[in-house]
Amino acid sequence: MRGQKMSLERKKMMAGYVYIAPWAIGFALFMLYPLVYSLWLSFHEVAGVGNFELTSVGWGNFNKAFVLDTKFIPLFISVIQDAVINTPLILVFSLFISILLNHNIRGRAFFRAAFFLPVLIGSGLAMQQLLYAGVGKDTLVNGIGVPDEVFLYMGPTFSQIVFDMLSRLTVIFWKTGVQILLFLAGLQGISVSLYESARCDGATEWEMFWKITLPLMTPIILLNLVYTCVDSFTDINNRMMVYIKDTAFTNIEMGYASSMGWIYFLFIFLLLVLVFVSTRRLIIYTGEK
Amino acid sequence: MLSNPIGKTKPQKAAAHAQAPAQAQARAAGSKVKALRNHTVLSRIGSKSRWIGLIYRIFVYVILIDLAFVFLYPFIYMMTTSLKQPVDLMNFTIKWIPTSLAWENFYYGMKGLQFLTHFNNSALIAVLSVVGQVLSCSFIAYGFARIKFPGREVLFVLCMFTMIIPPQTIIVPLFMQYKTMGWLDSVLPLIVPSFFGNGLRGALFIFIFRQLFRGLPWELEDAARVDGCGSFRVYWKIIMPLTPPAIVVTTLLSLVWHWNDFFEPSIYLTSEEKFTLPMMLPRLYQSLDTLTGSTFEVFSLPVVMAATFFALFPMLLVYLFLQRYFIQGVERSGLVE
């Protein structure tokens, strides 16, 4: 059975494993092992960072997270709340901008460059410095040029609400760079002939958006949805992430931090599974028959 | 006159009415008039839609310019504020343009960051990580995209799965692991995973490369193989040169994310002389105080902004050069099928 052809096939197969090898090694070392070990840790208490003495506490850490720790649940809910509010806004807004940018307009290169710029600041410390300085607060108000008189007219309570909303929107806007680019790439991928034939049949721009653009964009919307979710959950300014880090390295409760990390991870995992299952029928792939 | 109604205008329509004495004629003329009227209505709509088109275009520009301002705001703010003197900062009549340019803010900002030392640290980590990610992720993606072997799909799903693991879930064991390996307080934990396709968002880059590789024609590869090319040479000499879009996209995103990353460096690096540039931002005052030997309340916002500018400046420069290729790259990288 060891013919020439078999060994050639096998050789090719082996080559496949050679290509995957770096990832497999890296995955085992920097992902799988730590993941399993952190699950192990989450059922233990770590005494001292020096010698890592582990004492089993059973479900104690999880119990602590859900029952004893008064901070964890509210924090968790607020993080989810943020994600639930921000994600649709980011998606709609980035789709809107990318459609505007897809027009044949002057200075398109400039606009595309401009909308990606906040990604360069990232969500890191530079952004934090700018937010401390109050940049987020009045940007949108200045941006759309809302005159002060309007706020004066609205009265203090209501204008405060509007103001808060606008400043929140600003920070959300700055998170849309990558999404705008992905949507743009998707829009460029839609064949022009589809629009032309629709126009011949008398379709309006509005109809074309709902019947052509949106259905064909569903795979990218899903991609962006997943990206936005993951991005918001692993963001450095995410309070959950800060809390877990502080628990582990400031309070030195490494076992407890691990179990919180696992709760958090399982939640994201279930959420994404839910997203995939619920959107399966809504996604339209043109490439497949 | 009536024989050719197309292209006629209003006065001619009136003429058509006048020149219809008999009923049959009148009916015929009536239908023609209707046709005429329809035509004029159509042309009116035509000109109206031109107006609507123009208004729509203006609307698009207004929105885009407005939003571009919102997106550019942090940079404009950073630049103008960094040039202000404390007096200007307090002055409410001054919004953008300071009365006099305070260039010394940049001097203090740079000093406070200890720019050169920390720039070198940042650059070393970011550049090596980028090199590692481009090489390893493209190599791995080639295997996932172009070679069939048992378990490929499962492994790929597993690979994509790593994208959703929050770094904080595994940070504690990783910290312990690096401690036993003696890697703490060195750049190794920040660089080595990149060379194994596991750096910051490595799975995303594997995905990007794989998407592009899958779209390339097989004939190229077959021809090279007939000529006696091994699969490694096919990858390096044929596939890689065809993928600048993905390389540019990966390079820029990886560079920016590694440069701005604060979470991992702040855990693994403990001695200040090894800190990255962004890590120096919260220590700015402290650093300035020790440098000048006194407490400086004077160094307020403008100095912080100048320092923030310096922390971002290298990325701005790189983006300025790569921007065109980058945006084209995203469009062509087959990220979206």
Side-chain angles (χ1 to χ4, degrees):
Chain A
M1 285 302 277
R2 279 183 206 156
Q4 196 67 29
K5 210 177 171 191
M6 257 301 264
S7 76
L8 198 73
E9 282 285 290
R10 196 178 248 167
K11 224 172 162 181
K12 223 182 150 186
M13 246 168 56
M14 291 317 287
Y17 290 116
V18 170
Y19 279 99
I20 308 303
W23 172 77
I25 296 168
F27 177 71
L29 270 179
F30 305 115
M31 204 56 89
L32 190 63
Y33 171 74
L35 204 60
V36 172
Y37 195 63
S38 94
L39 187 62
W40 173 252
L41 273 180
S42 65
F43 292 102
H44 291 78
E45 205 165 287
V46 184
V49 199
N51 40 4
F52 306 137
E53 265 174 49
L54 300 179
T55 32
S56 176
V57 288
W59 290 95
N61 284 329
F62 291 92
N63 191 40
K64 186 176 173 187
F66 284 114
V67 182
L68 296 176
D69 191 345
T70 48
K71 275 192 198 151
F72 180 75
I73 296 277
L75 206 58
F76 201 73
I77 290 170
S78 80
V79 164
I80 295 164
Q81 245 170 10
D82 277 358
V84 167
I85 296 169
N86 292 358
T87 308
L89 282 175
I90 288 175
L91 286 184
V92 170
F93 180 72
S94 53
L95 183 62
F96 176 67
I97 287 208
S98 60
I99 287 170
L100 287 186
L101 281 177
N102 205 33
H103 282 78
N104 205 8
I105 44 168
R106 273 165 196 276
R108 191 151 71 159
F110 164 76
F111 285 121
R112 287 182 185 189
F115 287 117
F116 189 72
L117 272 177
V119 176
L120 295 189
I121 320 184
S123 50
L125 278 178
M127 188 52 118
Q128 252 173 30
Q129 295 294 342
L130 284 164
L131 290 176
Y132 283 151
V135 167
K137 282 188 196 129
D138 52 348
T139 305
L140 200 66
V141 182
N142 284 330
I144 27 181
V146 179
D148 289 340
E149 287 76 21
V150 175
F151 281 111
L152 230 67
Y153 181 73
M154 284 192 290
T157 329
F158 188 59
S159 70
Q160 190 58 43
I161 294 170
V162 174
F163 203 77
D164 285 348
M165 234 169 62
L166 289 179
S167 56
R168 194 193 170 108
L169 272 180
T170 313
V171 181
I172 290 171
F173 281 0
W174 289 339
K175 288 181 184 166
T176 55
V178 176
Q179 285 89 336
I180 289 174
L181 279 178
L182 287 176
F183 274 136
L184 253 180
L187 286 173
Q188 309 259 312
I190 299 177
S191 150
V192 187
S193 59
L194 278 174
Y195 290 109
E196 275 168 3
S197 57
R199 206 166 281 138
C200 285
D201 290 343
T204 60
E205 295 282 336
W206 182 247
E207 286 167 334
M208 284 193 279
F209 172 76
W210 289 103
K211 300 281 181 194
I212 300 174
T213 312
L214 206 62
L216 289 179
M217 292 294 274
T218 45
I220 307 128
I221 294 175
L222 178 68
L223 180 72
N224 266 338
L225 177 64
V226 173
Y227 176 81
T228 311
C229 275
V230 172
D231 195 48
S232 82
F233 282 127
T234 57
D235 189 283
I236 176 193
N237 292 326
N238 186 316
R239 277 162 292 167
M240 198 69 220
M241 188 145 156
V242 174
Y243 186 59
I244 294 177
K245 183 190 155 193
D246 286 349
T247 309
F249 296 100
T250 313
N251 302 349
I252 326 271
E253 289 182 89
M254 293 194 164
Y256 181 45
S258 293
S259 59
M260 282 198 292
W262 262 89
I263 295 168
Y264 195 46
F265 163 59
L266 282 180
F267 172 77
I268 296 171
F269 178 64
L270 286 177
L271 188 79
L272 288 179
V273 167
L274 205 71
V275 166
F276 272 107
V277 169
S278 60
T279 56
R280 209 170 45 182
R281 281 150 189 271
L282 298 174
I283 309 296
I284 293 152
Y285 293 102
T286 42
E288 282 163 28
K289 279 147 209 159
Chain B
M1 212 180 182
L2 279 170
S3 60
N4 183 18
I6 297 160
K8 301 268 158 77
T9 45
K10 270 179 186 170
Q12 284 162 334
K13 203 163 73 186
H17 272 295
Q19 282 179 10
Q23 205 153 26
Q25 253 182 325
R27 203 180 293 149
S31 73
K32 268 170 192 164
V33 165
K34 210 178 254 171
L36 271 172
R37 201 176 286 150
N38 274 346
H39 178 252
T40 46
V41 165
L42 267 182
S43 71
R44 214 178 282 155
I45 288 176
S47 69
K48 202 187 255 172
S49 83
R50 213 172 299 141
W51 273 107
I52 291 173
L54 190 69
I55 291 167
Y56 180 69
R57 279 189 96 71
I58 292 170
F59 176 72
V60 167
Y61 276 109
V62 167
I63 289 198
L64 277 181
I65 291 168
D66 246 7
L67 288 174
F69 178 69
V70 171
F71 277 74
L72 288 173
Y73 191 95
F75 290 90
I76 303 170
Y77 178 87
M78 195 165 69
M79 289 315 299
T80 56
T81 310
S82 62
L83 280 170
K84 279 178 189 167
Q85 269 156 351
V87 193
D88 289 349
L89 213 62
M90 290 296 133
N91 189 340
F92 282 104
T93 56
I94 294 168
K95 185 135 205 190
W96 292 113
I97 302 152
T99 45
S100 58
L101 301 179
W103 293 107
E104 67 271 16
N105 291 337
F106 283 98
Y107 170 78
Y108 286 123
M110 199 169 223
K111 262 274 186 297
L113 281 180
Q114 299 165 40
F115 186 78
L116 273 183
T117 328
H118 298 288
F119 171 81
N120 285 340
N121 296 343
S122 269
L124 178 78
I125 292 169
V127 170
L128 281 179
S129 303
V130 170
V131 170
Q133 281 197 316
V134 169
L135 288 179
S136 70
C137 291
S138 65
F139 187 79
I140 295 158
Y142 180 79
F144 276 131
R146 290 274 169 167
I147 297 168
K148 278 206 176 82
F149 55 88
R152 184 176 71 160
E153 310 312 318
V154 178
L155 286 174
F156 187 68
V157 169
L158 209 61
C159 178
M160 290 301 107
F161 174 73
T162 61
M163 236 188 302
I164 66 163
I165 298 173
Q168 62 270 52
T169 305
I170 55 170
I171 194 73
V172 172
L174 270 181
F175 180 80
M176 293 176 167
Q177 185 179 326
Y178 291 137
K179 189 168 182 172
T180 44
M181 287 159 93
W183 282 12
L184 284 188
D185 204 22
S186 79
V187 292
L188 288 173
L190 303 167
I191 293 170
V192 175
S194 293
F195 279 88
F196 290 92
N198 264 278
L200 215 56
R201 297 187 179 171
L204 185 68
F205 299 126
I206 293 177
F207 179 75
I208 290 176
F209 274 113
R210 177 178 164 271
Q211 287 294 90
L212 191 66
F213 289 166
R214 280 193 344 166
L216 295 175
W218 284 92
E219 287 79 11
L220 279 170
E221 205 162 306
D222 292 340
R225 277 179 191 272
V226 168
D227 288 347
C229 231
S231 104
F232 183 74
R233 269 181 66 190
V234 171
Y235 154 74
W236 189 244
K237 295 269 178 190
I238 299 189
I239 302 290
M240 276 306 264
L242 286 173
T243 52
I247 295 174
V248 172
V249 171
T250 306
T251 304
L252 191 76
L253 285 179
S254 172
L255 188 68
V256 168
W257 285 335
H258 276 106
W259 185 275
N260 284 329
D261 189 25
F262 179 72
F263 183 65
E264 295 203 3
S266 70
I267 282 166
Y268 300 134
L269 301 177
T270 43
S271 44
E272 196 183 299
E273 72 270 13
K274 286 172 185 163
F275 278 11
T276 61
L277 215 41
M279 287 169 78
M280 286 306 288
L281 281 176
R283 297 183 159 240
L284 198 65
Y285 288 124
Q286 206 184 323
S287 163
L288 272 173
D289 286 350
T290 46
L291 275 177
T292 48
S294 53
T295 330
F296 271 87
E297 286 302 319
V298 200
F299 298 123
S300 54
L301 199 57
V303 178
V304 175
M305 284 298 122
T308 311
F309 169 74
F310 280 122
L312 293 173
F313 180 64
M315 291 303 101
L316 291 177
L317 219 56
V318 170
Y319 184 57
L320 208 64
F321 282 116
L322 284 184
Q323 181 257 112
R324 243 180 74 204
Y325 308 100
F326 174 73
I327 288 164
Q328 284 170 358
V330 172
E331 279 163 14
R332 284 188 211 149
S333 60
L335 257 175
V336 187
E337 274 174 289

